[in-house]
């Protein structure tokens, strides 16, 4: 079945540091890929998405590129802020409507 | 405003006492689902519904029931809660028209079963 493997956390960074969270997937066919963010005490928000190979999703300074050859969708941000402290989830949608999630990566940014 | 609402947001209960977590959406979506979130496991789908009176099991359905009598509501029922059902629960409503796919999550319900 579909599955997502996500870099284990927690990750602690200083402000303005570069952030990468690795995500790889296993799926049949051509899944859509997503990154969701969960701020403390809140629900999940869609951060960015990509629906086909080589697509780049971007939002709020975050980027991720759908790499079919490496089955990856790594999340990157060039300069993080304290407000980026959150839990980040990689997810995929296969042939049905269900989302399969990774375990989540907790990111803490220190001033 | 498009939204998914869940109630209650927090609940502490005892083993065996039946409870219902309500979920409602105002976007006229046909597809709705329930997930539970546990540390190190991400979110896992409990049940989903393709439309009114059409429900099916997700990945972790044991100990849960759902119903879909109206399009907007999709309650999650725990007939006899146990401590291993202590978790954070999310209801989701999904827009599936044409090639468009967007999933909207509720704010979450934190359940503790003692």
């Amino acid at each position: 079945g579909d599955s997502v493997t996500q870099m284990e956390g927690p990750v602690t960074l200083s402000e303005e540091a570069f952030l990468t969270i690795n995500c790889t997937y296993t799926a049949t066919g051509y899944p859509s890929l997503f990154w969701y963010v969960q701020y403390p005490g809140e629900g999940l928000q869609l951060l960015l998405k990509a629906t086909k190979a080589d697509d780049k999703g971007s939002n709020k300074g975050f980027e991720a590129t759908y790499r079919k050859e490496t089955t990856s969708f790594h999340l990157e941000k060039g300069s993080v802020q304290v407000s980026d402290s959150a839990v980040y989830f990689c997810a995929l949608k296969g042939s049905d409507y269900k989302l399969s999630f990774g375990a989540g990566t907790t990111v803490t940014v220190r001033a | 405003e498009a939204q998914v609402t869940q109630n209650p947001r927090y609940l502490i209960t005892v083993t065996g006492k039946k409870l219902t977590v309500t979920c409602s959406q105002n976007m006229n979506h046909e597809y709705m689902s329930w997930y539970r979130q546990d540390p190190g496991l991400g979110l896992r789908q409990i049940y989903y519904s393709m439309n009114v009176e059409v429900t099916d099991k997700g990945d972790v359905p044991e100990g849960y029931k759902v119903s879909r009598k109206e399009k907007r509501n999709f309650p999650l029922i725990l007939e006899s809660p146990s401590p291993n059902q202590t978790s954070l629960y999310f209801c989701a409503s999904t827009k599936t028209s044409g090639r468009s796919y967007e999933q909207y999550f509720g704010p979450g319900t934190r359940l503790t079963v003692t």
Side-chain angles (χ1 to χ4, degrees), chain B:
Chain B
E1 179 192 352
Q3 61 179 353
V4 179
T5 57
Q6 290 179 232
N7 283 291
R9 294 290 311 279
Y10 303 90
L11 180 59
I12 300 174
T13 189
V14 297
T15 299
K17 185 176 181 182
K18 181 180 178 180
L19 66 92
T20 299
V21 183
T22 64
C23 172
S24 183
Q25 51 98 358
N26 63 358
M27 296 166 279
N28 203 37
H29 292 162
E30 294 180 343
Y31 187 90
M32 297 182 72
S33 51
W34 276 101
Y35 293 83
R36 59 177 289 173
Q37 180 184 347
D38 300 291
L41 297 176
L43 280 78
R44 295 174 292 167
Q45 192 184 57
I46 303 170
Y47 266 93
Y48 65 94
S49 169
M50 298 288 290
N51 211 329
V52 175
E53 302 293 0
V54 182
T55 63
D56 207 347
K57 298 177 181 178
D59 296 322
V60 288
E62 294 77 20
Y64 304 94
K65 285 176 55 177
V66 292
S67 70
R68 188 90 182 274
K69 294 184 170 57
E70 308 163 279
K71 203 171 194 179
R72 65 183 291 120
N73 296 323
F74 189 44
L76 179 69
I77 303 154
L78 285 72
E79 296 268 2
S80 183
S82 63
N84 65 10
Q85 293 178 300
T86 292
S87 187
L88 180 58
Y89 291 87
F90 289 100
C91 180
S93 179
T94 304
K95 177 181 178 182
T96 59
S97 57
R99 294 177 63 87
S100 174
Y101 175 90
E102 289 183 49
Q103 185 138 200
Y104 297 80
F105 285 89
T109 296
R110 186 166 293 282
L111 172 66
T112 302
V113 184
T114 61

Side-chain angles (χ1 to χ4, degrees), chain A residues 18 21 24 30 44 47 53 58-59 63 91:
Chain A
F18 186 86
I21 303 176
T24 58
Y30 304 93
L44 274 78
L47 181 59
S58 61
N59 186 25
E63 292 182 342

Side-chain angles (χ1 to χ4, degrees), chain A residues 17-32:
Chain A
F18 186 86
L19 171 68
T20 298
I21 303 176
N22 290 338
C23 171
T24 58
Y25 68 90
T26 301
T28 55
Y30 304 93
S32 296

